[in-house]
Every structure is written in C-alpha cells, then in structure tokens.
C-alpha cells in the first residue's frame, strides 16, 4: 500500500508534462525503482483472452456490464456525493474551473487542461464537451477480458468510476485513438509522459488484481528503463 501511495503522489505531480516524443521524463514522473516494484507485483498472462459478453451500453436490451456511464451510485471515491463521475474528474483535474450557475460545483462548463497524453494546453468548454474526454487508463474492455467479467456488478461499477486511480481528463481525439488498447500497442504521444502513464496503468492493475500481457509487460519494462533513477 505504501508503494501505491507513493506512486499516486508522483503521478499527480507529473500531470503537467512537457511535449516531446523522445524527451526526458516530465518532472515528477515516477522513478524507475517505483515502476520496477510495481512490475514485480503485477500479474502476467501470455495473451489477452477474449471471453465475450462485453457490452458497455445500458439501453434496453444491452448488457450494461460496468453500470450506467459516470454513475454516482457507487461506493468508490466520489460516489454518492450528488455529482456524476465525469464532472467530478473535470472539477479535480482542470484549472480555472467554471461551473454552471445554480448547479453548485456539480456541472463544469469551462476550464483549462494540460493534457497528460499530449502535453498540450487545452481549453474546455461544455459546448464542445467531446474535445476533452474522460479516459479509463486501464480500458474497460481490456479489464473485462482480463478478469473483470468475473467480478460482481458493484465492483465493476466502482472500477468504471474510480476517480482516484483510473480516470484521466484527456484530449478527445487522442482518447478515441487509444480506444481499448493496452501498453503493448499504445503509449501517449508525448514521450515525456510515458513514465506517468506506465505508473498509472500499473497502479490500477496492481490495485485491482488485473494482469498485463507479456507484451504489455515488455513495453512497460522498456518505459521503466527510461524513467528517473531517483
């Protein structure tokens, strides 16, 4: 648990990262030793299984396997606070946050973001909400395939709404490009942010007991070798 807390502190600090495909790790990135500790604890499987049955949608006749999107009805961080998960993430991760008049602090209508995947400064406006999206660092579809299919619905809902570990406000187009890919086939466009992303991904995996594939682990080990020594 102390390792996880240390990682979270480092990851929070690294959110404002510089751009650069081969840049040195952004200030505040987790250290190589921290990532190696997480890598030693994460479960590993040969390849991603495909059990079938994943259906995110919650309309009539759909599986709704991770619960309604951005539900406040869960027992994880931010649950039952009267605000939906998407707005909780925006309020926590944007700067210069503006709220809808009369809605208290539950509806974010504006703000700025240093995108943790591209390093660019983005301006968020609710009128163009898709420009800033909320990403599951460990994707829901991948989590389903890697073990969440066997979880209780309540645990899956907590995972899908985990503002403390698994959710990041990010550039919308980058989020769409990432889709449900895992580290073996996707890393942030900004090389300076690879250590940050690797730390986040591994922290989620260890916390929830989700495995990584051998290819994912190889990719994450490669990232770790380029992270700060201390």
């Amino acid at each position: 648990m102390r390792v996880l807390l240390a990682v979270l502190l480092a990851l929070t600090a690294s959110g404002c990262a510089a751009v650069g495909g081969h840049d040195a790790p952004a200030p505040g990135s987790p250290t190589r030793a921290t990532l190696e500790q997480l890598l030693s604890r994460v479960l590993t499987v040969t390849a991603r299984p495909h059990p079938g049955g994943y259906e995110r949608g919650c309309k009539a006749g759909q599986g709704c396997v991770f619960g309604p999107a951005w539900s406040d009805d869960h027992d994880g961080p931010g649950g039952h606070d009267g605000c939906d998960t998407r707005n909780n993430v925006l309020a926590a991760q944007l700067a210069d946050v503006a709220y809808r008049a009369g809605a208290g602090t539950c509806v974010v209508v504006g703000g700025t973001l240093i995108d943790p995947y591209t390093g660019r400064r983005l301006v968020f406006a609710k009128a163009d909400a898709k420009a800033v999206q909320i990403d599951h660092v460990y994707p829901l579809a991948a989590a389903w395939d890697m073990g969440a299919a066997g979880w209780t619905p309540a645990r899956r809902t907590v995972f899908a709404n985990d503002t403390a570990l698994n959710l990041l406000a990010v550039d919308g187009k980058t989020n769409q490009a990432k889709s449900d890919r895992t580290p073996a086939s996707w890393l942030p466009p900004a090389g300076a942010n690879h250590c940050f992303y690797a730390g986040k991904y591994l922290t989620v995996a260890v916390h929830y007991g989700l495995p990584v594939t051998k290819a994912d682990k190889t990719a994450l080990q490669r990232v770790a070798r380029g992270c700060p020594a201390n």
Side-chain angles (χ1 to χ4, degrees):
M1 184 58 69
R2 286 196 296 271
V3 171
L4 292 176
L5 291 174
V7 171
L8 288 175
L9 290 172
L11 298 180
T12 300
S14 67
C16 298
V19 182
H22 299 285
D23 288 356
S29 293
T31 65
R32 180 167 64 248
T34 297
L35 293 189
E36 287 173 348
Q37 286 179 315
L38 289 167
L39 283 162
S40 72
R41 297 173 61 191
V42 74
L43 302 171
T44 307
V45 295
T46 301
R48 177 173 169 176
H50 294 281
Y54 174 74
E55 194 169 26
R56 175 66 167 135
C58 290
K59 295 180 180 179
Q62 295 181 324
C64 198
V65 296
F66 282 93
W70 313 134
S71 173
D72 186 44
D73 186 17
H74 65 90
D75 294 327
H80 306 298
D81 67 353
C83 303
D84 69 79
T85 298
R86 174 179 165 82
N87 278 288
N88 280 342
V89 175
L90 292 173
Q93 298 182 16
L94 268 59
D96 307 315
V97 178
Y99 298 96
R100 176 181 291 168
T105 57
C106 274
V107 181
V108 176
V109 297
T112 58
L113 173 72
I114 304 300
D115 176 30
Y117 288 165
T118 67
R120 297 196 305 266
R121 181 181 182 275
L122 307 177
V123 176
F124 169 77
K126 192 168 178 61
D128 187 22
K130 290 184 179 180
V132 173
Q133 299 178 9
I134 309 302
D135 180 47
H136 293 90
V137 176
Y138 197 121
L140 295 184
W144 176 267
D145 290 347
M146 300 288 255
W151 294 353
T152 64
R155 181 169 174 79
R156 289 198 295 265
T157 300
V158 167
F159 179 82
N161 293 278
D162 190 338
T163 59
L165 297 182
N166 198 33
L167 298 180
L168 286 177
V170 301
D171 172 64
K173 291 182 179 179
T174 303
N175 185 43
Q176 293 298 311
K178 178 194 175 200
S179 187
D180 71 336
R181 290 190 287 170
T182 58
S185 60
W186 190 91
L187 290 171
N193 294 17
H194 286 184
C195 296
F196 163 77
Y197 171 73
K200 288 284 285 185
Y201 197 94
L202 284 166
T203 297
V204 175
V206 170
H207 181 80
Y208 282 95
L210 289 167
V212 298
T213 66
K214 288 184 177 179
D216 287 333
K217 192 167 188 177
T218 296
L220 292 165
Q221 287 170 330
R222 187 181 306 116
V223 170
R225 288 195 290 271
C227 295
N230 51 51

